[in-house]
Structures are given as structure tokens and as C-alpha cells.
Amino acid sequence: MGTGVPASEQISCAKGEARCPEDTGGTEAVHVPDCESPEASRSPNEPGSCDPEDSGQLMASYEGTARGYRVPPFGWRICLAHEFAEKRKPFQANNVSLSNLVKHLGMGLRYLKWWYRKTQVEKKTPFIDMFNCVPLRQIYGCPLGGIGGGTITRGWRGQFCRWQLDPGMYQHRTVMADQFTVCLRREGRTVYQQVLSLERPSVLRSWNWGLCGYFAFYHALYPRAWTVYQLPGQNVTLTCRQITPILPHDYQDSCLPVGVFVWDVENEGDEALDVSIMFSMRNGLGDGDDASGGLWNEPFCLERDGQTVQGLLLHHPTVPNPYTMAVAARLTADTTVTHVTAFDPDGTGQQVWQDLLQDGQLDSPAGQSTPSQKGVGIAGAVCVSSKLPPRGQCRLEFSLAWDMPKIMFGAKGQVYHRRYTRFFGPDGDAAPALSHYALCRYADWEDRISAWQSPVLDDRSLPAWYKSALFNELYFVADGGTVWLEVPEDSLPEELEGGMCQLRPILRDYGRFGYLEGQEYRMYNTYDVHFYASFALIMLWPKLELSLQYDMALATLKEDLTRRRYLMSGVMGPVKRKNVIPHDVGDPDDEPWLRINAYLIHDTADWKDLNLKFVLQVYRDYYLTGDQSFLKDMWPVCLAVMESEMKFDKDHDGLIENGGYADQTYDGWVTTGPSAYCGGLWLAAVAVMVQVAALCGAQDVQNKFAHILRRGQEAYERLLWNGRYYNYDSSSQPQSRSVMSDQCAGQWFLRACGLGEGDTEVFPTPHVVRALQTIFELNVQAFAGGGMGAVNGMQPHGVPDRSSVQSDEVWVGVVYGLAATMIQEGLTREGFLTAEGCYRTVWERLGLAFQTPEAYCQQRVFRSLAYMRPLSIWAMQLALQQQQEKKASRQIVGQDRGLSKGAKSGPKELP
């Protein structure tokens, strides 16, 4: 390889080769505990004990003895040599049964015509591309970057492999030059130099690739991750800690486009060492955006408040969204920082490799690099070096920051400023300051992250897999194509007559927030799905949830009468009707917020769930924040959408009817007449309207909805309850008696709002509990051996409902919501077992970490990688917290605290 290091000390291996030679003193593979020892006894309804072998399968290949420097016991842990045996494929047309193919033939032909026009004529990317699904890559790890400034994902094997710098648009590309390399020197001689990557690429062939993955592992607990490398034969352990400022209730640091890498190096030998870590980075991704050339690098040094940061600026001026990347390191009394300004990332890499090999440092040329020529790449590197005493330790600190302050979406119309520009300016020169700030503040971020996560991690009653899932699923808040935009004063909406007094202050102070339905389903703030995912926002960044709600309310009151053809029905209709909740606020490849409802499969003005989900979320958000001004502002919008919804109660029995097509979030599953899902949401929304009317002092409205509620409850029980569960719908179709896993969604939200029991009971509690028990028996335990979560639909005799393309799928976010419902109703053990099946399937069996899909089937396929809905796991956490609060309130004797049975919750009547 031309490394100049003796072969006996160049220890590496690659997949498919013999195991690495090792110098570990004959030690056995180490057992890495994943959770604390459980308590000896536990009540039947508690979550159950932790499995001390929680990540055993993923760590089975690990042959090292190193545990790493302060790696926590909880999280998702995997040996870098692990290979996932199961290789699933994305759901495609050939996975559809013949009967369902016939049903959707017209839609398929219309989609094909639309897809051709979109891709070949308009040269745009479809909001859902059914012909070019993202292929399975079982490689992703914690993304870098705060909320709304773009993200860069570093995979669990160390590769930089998923990029979302242009808003909402993804490049799934591993950039080979983006690497960490370690150099060890003893007595003035380099004895070990290794790229910390398992790859063996065709470029940079002078570098020493092929790290031995059997002596390294990755541990993720978002927003932090640890990679531990035991260097066989060197008596050295490296622990790379990755930190991103994802900080609950923080609206400043949480938006920063930065990540920090802290390397703790432990010398377990009796000889002193010099250690260097080199961080190399390509300017761009090596794709079409780079081909025109004009990219250039330059070194920088920023000293502020007694702290010095040195590094490289990688200037990428390509329009429409130019940016500067900063690779930087902190200079301390114990470290030396050097750099190479430019090298060819597509060449052999001989010069930079030999430069590091010679003395463990880089030559640090002054001045800017020459701009790159057309078709020629450019990369740079920063190196930190330190002395490592015998049995000693040292710390080397890097940051990665990117400054793309002004963005345009795909239509290249309006210019927006990202949220972080409020604090670091919009001029495109903030990368050095961002780097300095990150390297000086990361310790504080870690303290705050620890204070937030510790109550969950220290709770011995919670299983280890749940602690991993709860925090790691939060990756989507930042990596969901997320944008967080400033709303300039002159762009704020005008005051609306008679309402929304807080609209302008919320948008001015907290900006505009958007995240995609999924990385493959490219629509911002898809509202029927946000219904599930929103628990993460309202619990952790409530102001962002309120901002989103104000945006949705604004869009509801507007209309767009432009006519278009809907793909499922073939019928022409307007893009957006007034006083109905939109499906989404637009496509990042177009002009979101200005052109809403990118979704054109159905005309969602006739969907039965969107309006109801708005009302339920408004009350949930009010209940959890106590924000009376918000509730007052939303009250007129709630009235408008409920008035619009009433037309679906065609027989005036107090219960709405579905329209005989897939007119709700299950947009491939036909529903006819009164249904468990939409009917339950309707009754829950009507019950909420009764509560809000009382708070707003609207007695007539309260009486009206109370009357509707009484009639609707009777109709719902009479038409749908069968003694074991609520029927899917009341049609004469065979699937009408299917057991739907999501049938209690209305009750789920009521209980989350402190309603649904005692005086505010809507669904008889014995019926709810019995239905949940039936779902557990059939949809969970009778499906796939009980280890894959809950299938959407199950026939009462224990066979999955295959009447549609969605009824035999498992929807991960729905399962987490179902588990929360079970916890709310006292079925805590069942809830955790139900949710555990999804976590084990996604994270441990299918290799879909940090890309949790919308759906998977029992065999062969998954659908829509990296999806919004699984953020609903935070509803489980809310249910647990409410359980604990109730238990605590019952233990306080003689004090009137908490929610007593039958008491109405929330703040008092609005002024």
C-alpha cells in the first residue's frame, strides 16, 4: 500500500478475509452489559426486566476487550464487523397481489403518466418516486447537525454517507476522502498509521484501508454516539465521541449546523507515544454539483475568549445554495494542530499520507488553494497531535460545521434565512465562529443532554431496548429534511380579523418549522402523520409545535382553486378548499408554504381524519403547555373545520361515515360507512369541542356538541362494537370485521389530554380494555410469532387482512401509539411487548437503524425509509409520565393534587 510502515505493524482486515492478527494476551471476547440488573421482583403490569444480552447478536462478532472511555450502558450497540443476514427490498409494484393490482390499475397508469411528465419534461424529482426507491443500505448512524440547518450522517462503520444540505433533498453517497486516520509514533518513528474505515476503495490507494472491524464497536444514544477502536498490537484504545446540540426546550443552540468529535486516546502500554488524528474532508460530494469546478479551501485560525480554534474552510460556491464547510480543531497547551490545504480526493493520496507518516503532522501551507478545475475534485485535512504518557490518556477535539445561511427551495423563487442566522449572521462567513462556539460549548451541551436523559436511563423499571428507541428515534427531528426558517417582519402574515393574536409573535420569535413525512415521501408537515409524530415536538420543543399549528391554521383558512387531476380517482378538483386542513404544506423541490398540498393521490378535502386530528392536537397542545392564548386563537379554526366535517354525518346520527374509498391516513385501505378509526377520532374531537367550548364560555356551542356526542356514542357502540373489539367498518365487505390495530386512536388522544375517563369518558373503559387485549392477542401475538409488533389488520380467526396493500403491513409509528394506549389503560406489559417487536425488527434484525421505515411486512419488503411517524414513541413516554403522576398523587394523603377520578383537566376557563 506504500505506507512505509512495517507490515508486521500494519494490522488490518477486511470482510471475507481471515480474522485479524491480534495481540490481546489471549483474552476472551468481552461481555458488554446493556442494562442494569433488574429488580428481583416486579408487578405484572410493569415493563419487565432488562435483558443483559440486549445487543448480544449485534455484538457477537466483537473480539476486543476494550469498553471505551465513558461509553454509557444504554443505547444501540453494534460491532463494526457485524453483517445483517436479512436483506430486504423496498416495496414495489411486483409486491402487490393480483387482486390489489387490478384495483389500482387506473391509479398506476395515471401515476406513470404524471411521473414521466415530472421527471422527463419538468426535470424534477417526484414527491414520491415509486420507480426509484432508496435501496437498502444497512450502514447509517447518528446524524450530525442541529434542527433545521441540514444534516450529515456518519454511518456506524465510520463513513460519511447521507447528506441533506440542500433543504429536504438527500444524497445517499459515501465520500471516501471523508475519514479519520490515526498515526502512532514511538521514539520518533511512526509504527502504526491506519484509516479508521473498513472500506477498501479504488481511490486514495496509498492509504492503509481495511480496518479490522472485529476490534471496534459503535454505540448510539442520540444525539451522541461513540465509536471504540481497540488497536490490536498497539495497546491503544480510541474512543470517538460524536456530539450534536439537540437540546430540549432550547431554541438557540439546537438549531446550529455543527457536530463535534472528541477523541479520547488511552495508552495501556508502558511506553510513551505520540498520537495524531487526521480528519480529512472532500469539498463537496464528488457529484454533479462539484463538476463545474471553482471550489477552493483555505486555512483559518480564530482566537476568542482565550480559546483558539484552527482548521480549514472548504468553500463550495455552487448555486443556488452555496455553503462553506469548516473542519476545525481546538488548539491547547498539550496539542498541535496542522493541516494540508488541498489534495486530490480521486488520486492515490500518496503525498498527504507520506506527509503524516513522516512526523505525525501535516505541512500546513499558508494561503488559499487554487480553485478547482472543471471535473477535478479537491479535499483538505486537519490533524491534531499530542503526547501520550505510559498508561496515560489524552483528548483531541474536532468540529465539523457548515454555513449555508440563505436557501432556496427547488422552485428557486423565494430566499429564506435559516434559524441559526439569527445568532451567527446571514453573510456566509460564520463557519469559523460556529466551529469555535461548538468546540467551546460542547461540554455544556453534554451536561444538559445527560440531565435530560438520565431520569429515563436510570429508571430500572424500563427495558434497555426502550431507552435506546426513545432517544435514537429522535434522529428524525433533525434529519427529516428539516428546515427551521426565520420569518422577517415584512413577511409576517397580516393580523387576522377577530383571531390569532399570537400568530405574529410566535412566527417572529420562534420561526417557521417544517419536516418531511419521510425522506422518500417528500412533503413538509404531512398532517395526518404529524398527528402521531407530534408528541416529540410538543414534549421537547413545544414552541415549534405551536408554530407549526399556527402555520396549519393559516393554510386552513386559505384556498387554492387551481384544478388538477387526482391520481387515485382520476377526477379533477381544486388543490385546496377553504376551512379544511391541508394534507401538507408543500414539496421542498417546489415552493413549500406558498404552494401547499403536494400530495395529489387523493383529494384530501374529503378525508375524514385531517380536521379531527387538528382539533385533537390543538387541545393536546393546550393541555400540555397551558397556553390559553393559543387555545383562544385556535378556537375559531376548530369551529370552522368541525363545521366542515359535519357534512360527513349524512344520516345525522351523530357519527360520520367514510366514503367508500381510502379517505384517511391509511390511503390504500378502503373504508365504508361508520368506522372504528375515523368514527373514534370524530367522537374524541367532538368531546374535545365540548371541553373547549366550556373553557371559551360558548354555552350554545357546548350544548350542541354535547348533544352530538351523546347520539354519536350510541351509534358507534351499536354499529361497531361486537363484544371483543370495534369492527373495522360497518360495510358488508369481508374486511369489515377485521381487527384494526389503530382502532383506539381517539381514546389514545383523549387520555393524552387528561380526558377519556370518569366524567369525560367517551368510549366505555371495559370495551377499550377488551379491544386492546384482542389486538394484543391477534395483531401482535398471532402475527409473526409475536415478535414483529402489531399488523395493521387481522381477521378474527387469526389471519392477516390482505384485502389491501396496507392492511397486512406493520406501521412502526402506529405500533408505538398503540403501545402508549395500552400503557394508558393499565396494560403496560402488553404495551412494551408490542413496541419491542418493532424495535427488535427494525434496529436489530433488518439493519434499518436511523432510517426507521413507515412500514414492513412479515416477509421480504419494507416501505418508505426514514419516516416521520415513529416519533410517536414519545407518546409512550408521556403515558408513563402520566401514570407516575397519578400514582404520586394517590400517595399524597390529605392534599388535593393531580387529577382525581372524573376531574376535568387543564387550566381554568379562559378570560
Side-chain angles (χ1 to χ4, degrees):
M1 295 182 182
T3 63
V5 177
S8 63
E9 294 175 274
Q10 287 289 348
I11 299 175
S12 63
C13 74
K15 181 174 62 178
E17 296 183 352
R19 295 292 174 92
C20 321
E22 55 185 293
D23 181 17
T24 58
T27 54
E28 299 178 354
V30 66
H31 164 64
V32 183
D34 252 42
C35 70
E36 299 166 310
S37 300
E39 295 177 75
S41 60
R42 197 175 305 281
S43 67
N45 277 339
E46 287 184 339
S49 62
C50 305
D51 179 1
E53 302 290 340
D54 206 61
S55 290
Q57 183 180 2
L58 300 183
M59 288 294 289
S61 301
Y62 185 60
E63 296 185 4
T65 58
R67 296 172 180 241
Y69 182 75
R70 295 186 178 178
V71 179
F74 299 104
W76 182 72
R77 185 172 293 180
I78 184 169
C79 175
L80 268 59
H82 182 79
E83 288 289 337
F84 289 96
E86 190 165 351
K87 309 290 184 183
R88 290 201 170 199
K89 294 184 178 181
F91 180 89
Q92 294 179 317
N94 60 358
N95 301 116
V96 181
S97 67
L98 182 60
S99 60
N100 282 317
L101 201 61
V102 171
K103 293 177 188 176
H104 294 95
L105 185 59
M107 186 270 184
L109 294 173
R110 284 185 288 272
Y111 176 84
L112 180 61
K113 182 179 178 180
W114 172 83
W115 181 90
Y116 181 84
R117 184 177 72 248
K118 196 77 173 173
T119 58
Q120 305 304 310
V121 178
E122 299 177 20
K123 304 298 182 182
K124 305 288 279 185
T125 53
F127 73 97
I128 298 178
D129 194 337
M130 298 182 182
F131 298 111
N132 296 291
C133 299
V134 175
L136 175 65
R137 298 181 74 200
Q138 297 163 315
I139 63 173
Y140 297 112
C142 277
L144 292 153
I147 300 172
T151 46
I152 299 171
T153 297
R154 186 170 184 244
W156 52 269
R157 282 183 169 146
Q159 65 275 65
F160 290 82
C161 51
R162 184 170 65 196
W163 309 78
Q164 189 256 144
L165 298 179
D166 285 326
M169 309 301 289
Y170 283 82
Q171 284 80 41
H172 297 82
R173 177 187 294 266
T174 296
V175 182
M176 286 302 168
D178 298 354
Q179 301 290 344
F180 287 100
T181 297
V182 61
C183 174
L184 302 180
R185 293 171 58 80
R186 290 188 177 94
E187 299 179 348
R189 174 174 169 266
T190 298
V191 297
Y192 184 89
Q193 189 161 298
Q194 172 74 53
V195 184
L196 296 171
S197 169
L198 278 66
E199 304 280 355
R200 291 182 177 271
S202 59
V203 297
L204 303 173
R205 294 182 66 94
S206 292
W207 295 18
N208 188 31
W209 298 88
L211 174 77
C212 181
Y214 295 100
F215 289 84
F217 67 86
Y218 178 85
H219 184 96
L221 190 65
Y222 187 76
R224 296 189 291 172
W226 294 255
T227 312
V228 178
Y229 306 89
Q230 183 174 348
L231 305 182
Q234 304 304 317
N235 289 321
V236 171
T237 297
L238 311 175
T239 302
C240 176
R241 189 163 80 258
Q242 174 185 312
I243 305 134
T244 288
I246 299 294
L247 308 164
H249 306 283
D250 180 293
Y251 300 91
Q252 178 171 331
D253 287 6
S254 290
C255 71
L256 301 182
V258 298
V260 176
F261 298 97
V262 179
W263 290 83
D264 287 293
V265 187
E266 297 172 274
N267 182 4
E268 293 141 13
D270 296 323
E271 296 179 82
L273 284 171
D274 293 328
V275 60
S276 302
I277 301 287
M278 180 178 75
F279 186 7
S280 55
M281 201 81 185
R282 183 176 187 135
N283 189 335
L285 309 186
D287 58 5
D289 283 347
D290 307 344
S292 58
L295 315 181
W296 54 284
N297 303 342
E298 65 172 327
F300 78 93
C301 177
L302 179 59
E303 184 176 356
R304 182 182 292 172
D305 301 325
Q307 299 289 336
T308 302
V309 168
Q310 292 181 214
L312 281 181
L313 300 178
L314 314 181
H315 298 288
H316 195 279
T318 308
V319 295
N321 297 319
Y323 65 92
T324 295
M325 190 86 71
V327 180
R330 179 159 31 186
L331 178 65
T332 69
D334 299 320
T335 61
T336 302
V337 179
T338 55
H339 69 272
V340 59
T341 309
F343 69 89
D344 181 2
D346 301 312
T348 65
Q350 175 79 6
Q351 185 174 350
V352 66
W353 188 261
Q354 289 295 333
D355 187 9
L356 181 65
L357 192 69
Q358 183 176 354
D359 59 3
Q361 298 182 13
L362 301 174
D363 61 7
S364 299
Q368 303 173 359
S369 70
T370 303
S372 64
Q373 299 298 308
K374 185 175 181 179
V376 178
I378 181 174
V382 174
C383 177
V384 186
S385 308
S386 184
K387 295 190 178 298
L388 194 55
R391 304 288 173 179
Q393 180 182 326
C394 68
R395 175 167 293 178
L396 312 175
E397 301 157 297
F398 292 90
S399 68
L400 182 64
W402 50 100
D403 184 21
M404 184 190 283
K406 300 175 184 178
I407 58 170
M408 287 194 291
F409 292 105
K412 298 178 183 177
Q414 188 167 335
V415 176
Y416 297 88
H417 290 80
R418 295 194 192 263
R419 167 75 173 183
Y420 76 88
T421 61
R422 173 175 293 210
F423 314 108
F424 284 86
D427 298 329
D429 58 359
L434 284 165
S435 302
H436 190 283
Y437 187 83
L439 285 166
C440 293
R441 291 297 298 272
Y442 79 83
D444 174 64
W445 294 342
E446 287 197 285
D447 288 343
R448 293 163 66 187
I449 291 167
S450 180
W452 158 45
Q453 293 184 340
S454 290
V456 173
L457 301 181
D458 295 342
D459 188 338
R460 294 168 62 89
S461 73
L462 298 175
W465 70 261
Y466 172 75
K467 297 173 184 181
S468 172
L470 184 69
F471 295 112
N472 284 325
E473 292 289 8
L474 272 179
Y475 83 95
F476 196 84
V477 170
D479 201 21
T482 311
V483 288
W484 188 355
L485 307 173
E486 288 291 277
V487 184
E489 193 72 33
D490 58 3
S491 299
L492 290 169
E494 295 298 323
E495 293 282 0
L496 298 180
E497 187 175 344
M500 294 207 206
C501 298
Q502 293 299 310
L503 169 66
R504 290 170 62 89
I506 284 284
L507 292 180
R508 182 182 61 241
D509 295 343
Y510 297 101
R512 174 164 277 150
F513 174 84
Y515 63 155
L516 298 177
E517 179 178 335
Q519 291 180 8
E520 294 191 78
Y521 287 14
R522 216 181 47 249
M523 296 157 282
Y524 276 124
N525 297 348
T526 298
Y527 202 73
D528 57 300
V529 184
H530 176 69
F531 175 74
Y532 297 81
S534 60
F535 283 88
L537 278 190
I538 193 60
M539 294 175 69
L540 301 175
W541 295 276
K543 297 298 185 182
L544 293 185
E545 167 68 7
L546 298 189
S547 173
L548 186 155
Q549 292 282 62
Y550 275 105
D551 263 338
M552 198 57 60
L554 259 183
T556 298
L557 301 178
K558 296 178 180 178
E559 62 183 1
D560 180 353
L561 299 180
T562 306
R563 297 184 69 78
R564 63 182 179 183
R565 188 174 305 280
Y566 287 95
L567 300 179
M568 187 65 77
S569 65
V571 173
M572 297 291 292
V575 171
K576 168 69 173 63
R577 301 179 199 175
K578 191 174 183 179
N579 291 343
V580 295
I581 300 295
H583 175 274
D584 59 81
V585 296
D587 179 354
D589 204 28
D590 186 25
E591 199 65 71
W593 285 282
L594 296 182
R595 285 190 285 276
I596 63 176
N597 274 351
Y599 180 85
L600 47 65
I601 295 176
H602 294 283
D603 182 356
T604 58
D606 287 329
W607 273 19
K608 308 306 182 289
D609 60 340
L610 285 168
N611 295 332
L612 308 174
K613 288 173 173 176
F614 179 78
V615 173
L616 290 170
Q617 286 185 77
V618 162
Y619 190 79
R620 189 272 319 272
D621 295 348
Y622 157 72
Y623 174 75
L624 294 179
T625 64
D627 192 328
Q628 298 183 354
S629 297
F630 167 74
L631 187 63
K632 288 180 70 174
D633 283 352
M634 294 297 116
W635 174 235
V637 187
C638 290
L639 284 171
V641 299
M642 287 300 284
E643 189 64 35
S644 176
E645 188 80 10
M646 286 185 189
K647 66 179 179 289
F648 300 128
D649 180 10
K650 298 185 183 302
D651 58 5
H652 306 292
D653 65 349
L655 190 63
I656 62 169
E657 293 90 41
N658 288 87
Y661 72 102
D663 53 357
Q664 23 73 37
T665 197
Y666 297 88
D667 58 351
W669 196 358
V670 171
T671 316
T672 305
S675 67
Y677 183 69
C678 291
L681 292 174
W682 161 256
L683 291 180
V686 170
V688 159
M689 290 297 287
V690 173
Q691 298 294 317
V692 182
L695 290 168
C696 292
Q699 187 64 52
D700 291 346
V701 177
Q702 181 182 359
N703 293 340
K704 172 185 174 181
F705 281 103
H707 180 61
I708 294 171
L709 180 61
R710 285 193 295 271
R711 291 186 294 117
Q713 285 175 292
E714 187 279 327
Y716 189 79
E717 296 296 323
R718 171 170 47 84
L719 294 171
L720 296 168
W721 179 250
N722 65 23
R724 294 179 62 204
Y725 59 92
Y726 292 99
N727 288 338
Y728 175 70
D729 65 22
S730 56
S731 71
S732 57
Q733 299 298 317
Q735 71 268 20
S736 69
R737 286 185 61 83
S738 286
V739 185
M740 185 187 198
S741 65
D742 210 6
Q743 64 184 268
C744 296
Q747 175 70 0
W748 168 39
F749 249 74
L750 286 176
R751 292 298 290 265
C753 297
L755 306 172
E757 60 179 338
D759 291 348
T760 61
E761 183 180 87
V762 174
F763 309 95
T765 297
H767 289 188
V768 171
V769 172
R770 185 69 184 98
L772 292 172
Q773 290 171 335
T774 301
I775 293 166
F776 183 71
E777 293 163 10
L778 292 177
N779 300 57
V780 179
Q781 290 188 309
F783 174 73
M788 291 184 74
V791 67
N792 281 341
M794 181 69 87
Q795 297 180 30
H797 56 282
V799 175
D801 178 354
R802 295 191 170 88
S803 64
S804 79
V805 294
Q806 293 175 340
S807 51
D808 67 344
E809 292 182 324
V810 175
W811 287 12
V812 180
V814 167
V815 173
Y816 288 150
L818 168 63
T821 314
M822 290 175 170
I823 293 168
Q824 290 168 341
E825 302 300 331
L827 303 175
T828 305
R829 172 181 168 276
E830 291 84 348
F832 273 85
L833 288 172
T834 297
E836 181 179 1
C838 281
Y839 176 82
R840 301 286 187 194
T841 300
V842 170
W843 290 78
E844 297 181 357
R845 175 178 156 193
L846 302 186
L848 301 182
F850 298 100
Q851 53 180 331
T852 304
E854 158 75 320
Y856 54 79
C857 292
Q858 184 171 351
Q859 297 175 327
R860 299 192 304 276
V861 298
F862 58 83
R863 183 168 59 79
S864 186
L865 289 175
Y867 199 76
M868 176 198 291
R869 206 182 315 247
L871 286 170
S872 61
I873 192 169
W874 279 84
M876 292 180 65
Q877 186 61 18
L878 177 63
L880 289 168
Q881 290 174 5
Q882 291 176 328
Q883 251 192 359
Q884 292 167 356
E885 289 165 6
K886 286 187 176 183
K887 185 181 295 186
S889 69
R890 287 195 293 266
Q891 292 173 349
I892 299 174
V893 180
Q895 296 184 35
D896 185 17
R897 296 186 184 178
L899 298 177
S900 59
K901 186 176 180 182
K904 296 180 182 179
S905 59
K908 297 180 180 179
E909 182 173 322
L910 304 183

